[in-house]
Amino acid sequence: MKKHEIRINQWLKENRARGARLLQILVRENSTRGKESSTQAIIIEKCRQLGLTLDIWELGSDELKGHPAYFCDRQSFDGNPNLVAVLKGSGGGKSVILNGHIDIVPVGDESSWRHDPFSGTIECGKLYGRGATDMKGGNVSLLMALEALIANGIRLNGDVIFQSVIEEESGGAGTLAAVLRGYHADGAIIPEPTNMKIFPKQQGSMWFRITVKGRAAHGGTRYEGVSAIEKSVGVIQGLQQLEKTRNAKITDPLFDKIPIPIPINIGKITSGEWPSSVPDTAIIEGRMGVSPEETIEAAQLEMETALREWNQQDEWFRENPLQIEWFGGRWLPGNLESDHPLMNALTSSFSEVLGVSPVIEASPWGTDGGILSTVGNTPVVVFGPGITETAHDANEHIDLEDMFVASEIIALTLLRWCGVNEVSDDDR
Amino acid sequence: MKKHEIRINQWLKENRARGARLLQILVRENSTRGKESSTQAIIIEKCRQLGLTLDIWELGSDELKGHPAYFCDRQSFDGNPNLVAVLKGSGGGKSVILNGHIDIVPVGDESSWRHDPFSGTIECGKLYGRGATDMKGGNVSLLMALEALIANGIRLNGDVIFQSVIEEESGGAGTLAAVLRGYHADGAIIPEPTNMKIFPKQQGSMWFRITVKGRAAHGGTRYEGVSAIEKSVGVIQGLQQLEKTRNAKITDPLFDKIPIPIPINIGKITSGEWPSSVPDTAIIEGRMGVSPEETIEAAQLEMETALREWNQQDEWFRENPLQIEWFGGRWLPGNLESDHPLMNALTSSFSEVLGVSPVIEASPWGTDGGILSTVGNTPVVVFGPGITETAHDANEHIDLEDMFVASEIIALTLLRWCGVNEVSDDDR
């Protein structure tokens, strides 16, 4: 490492408590969909203190809502803004977007949590709470890297465009809004919880809603009706089979260690209003993974074709066909060459900080990287400190050591990607 | 038929329009659970006009809530009273309870209805709407029979105790409250929708709620979690198998024509909060049929034993056992001898009015008859004009002709069961 690189690294090691404290106050705010404002306010204040140029706006422009990559069922964005905070470079260097989402998923069954999901409890070096891993911890890594540069008077050549966006968990309208507002760069890093792995490729995904019709009847004469729940069992089994067929086709070695490269997750089922009635409708909602090698449209077609087959094969479905909607969330897949300069900058920084080579894989989930790369024409790498397995789970937590190390790796990557006037470094 | 019997029958034939109109205004009121008051008000006013002795009260006494047959998850009974209206006899005759419930089940998927579910539209002799069959039509048969007697100056020897109760669809707290208030009789008729069949035996039933645990995870790494929906599929199949096993044991010829004598109906399933998350909990609610020959407790034990077996057989369930609750609705089975005098009175009246013998079967569902007979020691027959198949279904309707004929049969039964001073009859 060069002198200024060592200085930054040293500063980050000395200021770990600042990072842990920042993550704790972020986790203590509930930023589930529609409630992002109080958490966003903390990020905004942090960026203001850092002296970044702030751009704060509420989503909802006609351009956004009319865009083909806008898939969002949110009614109102009022009061819950997006933030872009820019650290202007001195010129002549490559620019970078640092993108993190501020929204979190619901806590699920609270009784499964050992701590209050919004406590931010620290125990044995781990910080617990909804969003700790996905991805407030990653955001803190970004902010600490930026603070290290600023606190040490480093002036980068290229711009750093820090983005704190809403709506990632529901399909990326926040990042799309930032792209449409004109933000793009020579590269982007998204510190989603990758277990410190580096993901040049990201699985895309999208939400589906299948409506299964039945015929109501009194439960005591249930043979007079057709149970939407019983019919749903066949649909669930069909979706499991479709998942098998699709995954059998995946050959990319980046997916070698992933049990189900592109899962079809059945996330929700709702059917029936009354224990003593035969339910006449069931709604199945889920998430379909999209391979980095295929398009959203091709994946949709494959599921729609399967549904058409089931509708043909089943006497009841012939008269009362299954309906599918592609609603809400949609994340475009991402696909960066493994030898892209951004990959080289990140992997070499990783090796230098940790003394080992990083694991390079394809991500098991969609991220906002699909929008940044496909719509925003910005090469994207996903790399972050969170623990994949605890994202969206009870007892979500992050290993703080990973968060600190990620900030060192990211800071080093920024220095090398954006460039530094080395003369000024020697002066110090 | 005797002279006064013919007169009553004639009056009922001449006043059919009154009955149709009464049913229409009853169906136009939505009396789903917690909203029974406006419909009950119409019944109360009708009984007041008939000169009956009214007893109107709101449920909720400690005696009721502490009773072993009270199974009810309702929070408040405020403003939605029970009604008992008595036509006092002159003495020396047998008394009878005429019991009907005023509550209806929800409308379900409204788009499946051809008419507004609260329109009371009459088309080709059928009246449409939620509750038309189950069981506002039956209640009108009772009230028309009473009005025929009163309008024609007939004084019965025995008391007629008309009951318009709430909560039948949720387990019978209304009828239980009437029993605990001291109302019992030598016999009872409940005009539930039997397709004009006579049911001396009634299937009991009760509600269950099974909680299936999973482990949450991000949908993209769904293999890290355990889907409560996938685990529920096995539970649903287990319940279907249990239903088969239980029904194979039913030999009573009264059940011969019933495809599934004691069904297990899975009425509701709710699981998951987010399409992209693996659901950590599923709630399955349903209704278990209880044979007239078995007890509620024996049926519960059979299901609980099955659940224990599934918990043993499945590795995940061994650590995360299925839980069962018996909540809300519970209807005790009923079991009257086929040659009971009340059966004879009803079947002979039926034959005399219609010129054919009635079909005698076991009911495919529980009624408040179980509480009246078991707790209230009152022999019960279930017989009414509604169409079993349309109860709880979209496009629920009743054949008005059946409703009118049922009122003739019930009036004749009252005359013969309660007795009439025949001298006064000859005087008229």
Side-chain angles (χ1 to χ4, degrees):
Chain A
M1 284 193 213
K2 298 185 178 159
K3 233 181 359 187
H4 64 278
E5 292 174 348
I6 292 168
R7 202 166 74 234
I8 295 298
N9 191 273
Q10 196 55 39
W11 188 95
L12 282 166
K13 286 194 196 307
E14 285 162 6
N15 285 276
R16 290 182 161 197
R18 291 172 72 82
R21 210 157 49 236
L22 177 57
L23 178 57
Q24 201 165 45
I25 65 167
L26 289 172
V27 167
R28 284 178 179 166
E29 297 297 323
N30 177 351
S31 57
T32 45
R33 199 179 195 201
K35 293 184 188 159
E36 302 93 340
S37 63
S38 62
T39 320
Q40 197 70 298
I42 296 166
I43 303 276
I44 290 169
E45 174 55 15
K46 180 77 188 173
C47 291
R48 193 196 61 76
Q49 288 168 5
L50 292 177
L52 307 183
T53 308
L54 304 183
D55 181 11
I56 302 161
W57 78 99
E58 288 175 359
L59 276 60
S61 72
D62 290 343
E63 187 193 7
L64 175 68
K65 291 187 169 173
H67 195 278
Y70 179 79
F71 299 104
C72 181
D73 59 357
R74 181 159 170 168
Q75 297 305 309
S76 166
F77 297 100
D78 290 359
N80 295 289
N82 250 3
L83 163 70
V84 172
V86 177
L87 177 62
K88 197 72 193 156
S90 54
K94 282 184 282 198
S95 60
V96 69
I97 287 172
L98 303 177
N99 173 291
H101 66 84
I102 200 67
D103 53 314
I104 57 172
V105 296
V107 296
D109 176 11
E110 237 181 289
S111 68
S112 302
W113 288 76
R114 279 186 293 123
H115 308 286
D116 180 326
F118 299 109
S119 67
T121 304
I122 298 176
E123 214 177 67
C124 305
K126 295 177 176 62
L127 190 146
Y128 287 81
R130 174 58 82 226
T133 254
D134 185 12
M135 60 178 285
K136 294 177 178 178
N139 296 341
V140 170
S141 294
L142 298 180
L143 288 166
M144 291 306 292
L146 278 173
E147 186 168 1
L149 301 178
I150 293 162
N152 286 281
I154 300 283
R155 183 84 193 268
L156 298 174
N157 298 331
D159 296 347
V160 181
I161 303 162
F162 172 79
Q163 305 183 330
S164 178
V165 299
I166 65 171
E167 284 291 299
E168 192 277 341
E169 297 289 1
S170 311
T175 289
L176 180 61
V179 166
L180 297 180
R181 209 163 165 94
Y183 293 106
H184 51 91
D186 298 315
I189 298 171
I190 304 182
E192 287 271 11
T194 71
N195 291 345
M196 304 292 277
K197 295 174 186 172
I198 295 178
F199 293 161
K201 296 192 179 187
Q202 301 99 42
Q203 182 189 146
S205 68
M206 58 203 159
W207 289 357
F208 59 87
R209 179 184 292 131
I210 297 174
T211 304
V212 186
K213 298 297 284 180
R215 190 177 56 229
H218 190 293
T221 50
R222 70 174 199 81
Y223 38 83
E224 310 283 357
V226 175
S227 164
I229 293 176
E230 287 184 15
K231 299 309 288 182
S232 293
V233 168
V235 175
I236 291 167
Q237 289 166 335
L239 290 170
Q240 289 167 332
Q241 186 51 50
L242 179 64
E243 183 191 61
K244 277 208 189 77
T245 313
R246 280 172 53 76
N247 281 280
K249 292 184 288 191
I250 303 285
T251 54
D252 189 328
L254 287 187
F255 279 115
D256 271 358
K257 297 221 174 104
I258 300 179
I260 309 175
I262 46 169
I264 297 178
N265 181 66
I266 301 168
K268 249 180 115 166
I269 182 168
T270 322
S271 182
E273 298 183 290
W274 199 255
S276 299
S277 293
V278 176
D280 61 4
T281 309
I283 308 286
I284 297 172
E285 290 181 1
R287 165 217 183 270
M288 181 182 198
V290 180
S291 146
E293 321 296 334
E294 73 180 339
T295 61
I296 289 272
E297 291 71 23
Q300 288 180 342
L301 186 63
E302 196 167 348
M303 190 180 287
E304 287 164 4
T305 305
L307 256 74
R308 258 197 301 278
E309 273 169 32
W310 305 340
N311 283 339
Q312 277 313 308
Q313 286 158 8
D314 182 286
E315 200 179 333
W316 172 257
F317 288 149
R318 266 202 295 280
E319 300 294 315
N320 305 273
L322 297 166
Q323 307 278 354
I324 188 162
E325 281 171 81
W326 303 97
F327 77 109
R330 184 172 308 196
W331 296 259
L332 301 175
N335 195 344
L336 190 70
E337 320 77 89
S338 291
D339 59 353
H340 188 278
L342 181 63
M343 278 295 288
N344 296 338
L346 184 60
T347 55
S348 65
S349 301
F350 184 103
S351 304
E352 214 151 330
V353 168
L354 280 171
V356 294
S357 295
V359 175
I360 299 175
E361 274 185 5
S363 84
W365 14 252
T367 70
D368 277 354
I371 289 170
L372 277 180
S373 57
T374 311
V375 186
N377 271 319
T378 298
V380 176
V381 179
V382 179
F383 159 73
I387 303 169
T388 309
E389 297 74 13
T390 82
H392 296 214
D393 200 357
N395 302 311
E396 177 177 347
H397 60 274
I398 193 168
D399 194 320
L400 290 172
E401 173 73 19
D402 282 347
M403 182 177 83
F404 303 137
V405 171
S407 70
E408 294 171 25
I409 295 168
I410 290 166
L412 193 56
T413 306
L414 294 181
L415 291 167
R416 295 178 176 183
W417 178 258
C418 302
V420 182
N421 183 336
E422 306 216 6
V423 179
S424 77
D425 177 47
D426 291 335
D427 289 346
R428 293 182 70 93
Chain B
M1 283 193 213
K2 297 185 178 160
K3 237 187 349 197
H4 64 279
E5 293 174 347
I6 293 168
R7 203 166 74 235
I8 294 298
N9 191 273
Q10 195 57 38
W11 187 95
L12 281 167
K13 286 192 195 309
E14 285 163 5
N15 285 276
R16 290 181 160 198
R18 293 172 71 82
R21 210 158 48 237
L22 176 57
L23 178 57
Q24 202 165 45
I25 65 167
L26 289 173
V27 167
R28 284 178 179 165
E29 299 296 323
N30 176 352
S31 57
T32 45
R33 199 179 194 203
K35 294 185 187 158
E36 302 92 341
S37 62
S38 63
T39 320
Q40 196 70 298
I42 296 166
I43 303 275
I44 290 169
E45 174 56 15
K46 181 78 189 173
C47 291
R48 193 196 60 76
Q49 287 169 7
L50 291 178
L52 307 183
T53 307
L54 304 184
D55 181 11
I56 302 162
W57 78 101
E58 289 176 359
L59 275 61
S61 72
D62 290 343
E63 186 193 9
L64 175 68
K65 291 187 170 176
H67 195 278
Y70 179 79
F71 298 104
C72 182
D73 60 356
R74 181 159 170 167
Q75 298 305 309
S76 167
F77 297 100
D78 290 358
N80 295 289
N82 249 4
L83 164 70
V84 172
V86 177
L87 177 63
K88 196 73 194 155
S90 55
K94 281 184 282 198
S95 60
V96 68
I97 287 172
L98 303 177
N99 174 291
H101 66 84
I102 200 65
D103 53 316
I104 57 173
V105 296
V107 296
D109 175 11
E110 236 180 288
S111 68
S112 302
W113 287 75
R114 278 185 295 122
H115 308 286
D116 180 326
F118 299 109
S119 67
T121 303
I122 298 175
E123 214 176 66
C124 305
K126 296 177 175 64
L127 190 146
Y128 287 81
R130 174 59 82 229
T133 254
D134 184 13
M135 61 177 286
K136 294 176 177 178
N139 295 340
V140 170
S141 293
L142 298 179
L143 288 166
M144 292 306 293
L146 278 172
E147 186 168 1
L149 301 179
I150 292 162
N152 286 281
I154 300 283
R155 183 84 192 269
L156 297 175
N157 297 332
D159 296 347
V160 181
I161 302 163
F162 171 80
Q163 306 184 329
S164 178
V165 297
I166 66 171
E167 284 290 300
E168 193 277 341
E169 297 289 1
S170 311
T175 289
L176 180 62
V179 166
L180 297 180
R181 209 164 166 92
Y183 293 105
H184 52 89
D186 298 314
I189 298 171
I190 304 182
E192 287 271 12
T194 71
N195 291 345
M196 302 292 277
K197 295 174 187 173
I198 295 177
F199 293 161
K201 297 193 179 189
Q202 301 100 42
Q203 182 190 146
S205 68
M206 57 203 161
W207 289 357
F208 59 88
R209 178 185 292 132
I210 296 174
T211 303
V212 186
K213 298 297 284 181
R215 188 176 59 229
H218 189 292
T221 50
R222 71 173 197 80
Y223 38 84
E224 311 282 357
V226 175
S227 164
I229 293 176
E230 286 183 16
K231 298 308 288 182
S232 293
V233 167
V235 175
I236 291 168
Q237 290 166 336
L239 290 171
Q240 289 168 331
Q241 186 52 49
L242 179 64
E243 183 191 61
K244 278 208 189 79
T245 314
R246 280 174 52 75
N247 281 280
K249 292 183 288 191
I250 303 285
T251 53
D252 189 328
L254 286 187
F255 278 116
D256 272 358
K257 297 219 174 108
I258 300 178
I260 309 174
I262 45 170
I264 296 178
N265 181 65
I266 301 169
K268 248 180 116 167
I269 181 168
T270 322
S271 182
E273 297 185 288
W274 199 256
S276 298
S277 294
V278 176
D280 61 4
T281 310
I283 308 286
I284 298 171
E285 290 180 0
R287 166 217 184 269
M288 182 182 199
V290 180
S291 144
E293 320 297 334
E294 73 181 338
T295 62
I296 288 271
E297 291 72 22
Q300 287 180 342
L301 185 63
E302 195 167 348
M303 189 180 286
E304 286 164 4
T305 305
L307 255 74
R308 259 197 299 279
E309 274 170 30
W310 305 340
N311 283 340
Q312 276 313 308
Q313 286 158 10
D314 181 287
E315 200 180 333
W316 172 256
F317 289 148
R318 266 201 295 279
E319 299 294 314
N320 305 273
L322 297 166
Q323 307 278 355
I324 188 162
E325 281 170 80
W326 302 98
F327 78 110
R330 183 172 308 195
W331 295 260
L332 301 175
N335 195 345
L336 190 70
E337 321 77 89
S338 292
D339 59 352
H340 187 280
L342 181 62
M343 278 295 288
N344 297 338
L346 185 60
T347 54
S348 66
S349 300
F350 184 102
S351 303
E352 214 151 329
V353 169
L354 279 170
V356 292
S357 295
V359 175
I360 299 175
E361 275 184 6
S363 85
W365 14 253
T367 70
D368 277 353
I371 289 170
L372 277 179
S373 57
T374 310
V375 185
N377 272 320
T378 299
V380 176
V381 179
V382 179
F383 159 73
I387 303 169
T388 308
E389 296 76 12
T390 83
H392 297 213
D393 200 356
N395 303 310
E396 177 176 346
H397 61 274
I398 193 167
D399 194 322
L400 289 172
E401 173 73 19
D402 282 345
M403 182 177 83
F404 302 137
V405 172
S407 69
E408 295 171 25
I409 294 167
I410 289 166
L412 193 56
T413 306
L414 294 180
L415 291 167
R416 295 179 176 183
W417 178 257
C418 302
V420 182
N421 182 338
E422 306 218 4
V423 179
S424 78
D425 177 47
D426 291 336
D427 288 348
R428 291 180 71 95

